[in-house]
Amino acid sequence: QLQLVESGGGLVQPGGSLRLSCVGSGFSLEDYVIAWFRQAPGKERQGVSCISTSEGFTNNANFVAGRFTISGDNAKNTVYLQMNSLQPTDTAVYYCAATNDYRLGCSISWEYEYWGQGTQVTVSS
């Protein structure tokens, strides 16, 4: 009943941009902390960014370095990940995840219990 569905992935050239979407159903994303993770083949899952829309709080991995921005649209029950200046090292399957952890703020180091199916991002010439 609680679902997360990612979309917006695709093939882009280095330096290009993509906006990923994570649409929630069966629950309000305002009541959860939402995070984006990514995983490249043969590598460990890596936290990217998180948001607590009810608090207006976001947190990011160090490698983001201002290139990625997480945001939410409560009316659409959707969280976005705007990715700019993409590089081949950003190639991965990107997942959104949710937790109803009661702590304030958010952290990509937290455990997330609900996961989407992922969307492929490929950065290549």
Short mmCIF file of all heavy atoms in Angstrom, two decimals, residues 22 44 69 87 107 123:
data_model
loop_
_atom_site.label_atom_id
_atom_site.label_comp_id
_atom_site.label_asym_id
_atom_site.label_seq_id
_atom_site.Cartn_x
_atom_site.Cartn_y
_atom_site.Cartn_z
N CYS A 22 10.41 11.19 -7.34
CA CYS A 22 9.99 10.10 -6.48
C CYS A 22 8.58 10.42 -6.02
O CYS A 22 8.37 11.36 -5.25
CB CYS A 22 10.94 9.97 -5.28
SG CYS A 22 10.44 8.74 -4.06
N GLU A 44 29.14 -0.42 -3.49
CA GLU A 44 28.18 -0.33 -2.40
C GLU A 44 27.20 0.81 -2.65
O GLU A 44 27.49 1.79 -3.34
CB GLU A 44 28.89 -0.11 -1.07
CG GLU A 44 29.75 -1.28 -0.62
CD GLU A 44 30.34 -1.05 0.75
OE1 GLU A 44 30.22 0.06 1.29
OE2 GLU A 44 30.94 -2.00 1.29
N THR A 69 20.44 19.02 -6.07
CA THR A 69 19.52 19.68 -5.15
C THR A 69 18.28 18.81 -4.95
O THR A 69 17.63 18.42 -5.92
CB THR A 69 19.08 21.05 -5.69
OG1 THR A 69 20.23 21.87 -5.90
CG2 THR A 69 18.16 21.74 -4.69
N GLN A 87 28.59 13.78 -14.36
CA GLN A 87 29.83 13.17 -14.80
C GLN A 87 29.66 11.67 -14.90
O GLN A 87 28.75 11.09 -14.30
CB GLN A 87 30.96 13.52 -13.83
CG GLN A 87 31.23 15.01 -13.69
CD GLN A 87 31.64 15.65 -15.00
OE1 GLN A 87 32.49 15.11 -15.73
NE2 GLN A 87 31.05 16.78 -15.32
N SER A 107 19.26 12.40 7.76
CA SER A 107 20.63 12.00 7.53
C SER A 107 20.65 10.85 6.54
O SER A 107 19.81 9.95 6.61
CB SER A 107 21.31 11.58 8.84
OG SER A 107 22.60 11.04 8.58
N VAL A 123 25.66 8.44 -17.62
CA VAL A 123 26.32 9.65 -18.10
C VAL A 123 27.47 9.21 -19.00
O VAL A 123 28.45 8.62 -18.53
CB VAL A 123 26.84 10.51 -16.94
CG1 VAL A 123 27.42 11.81 -17.48
CG2 VAL A 123 25.72 10.79 -15.95
#
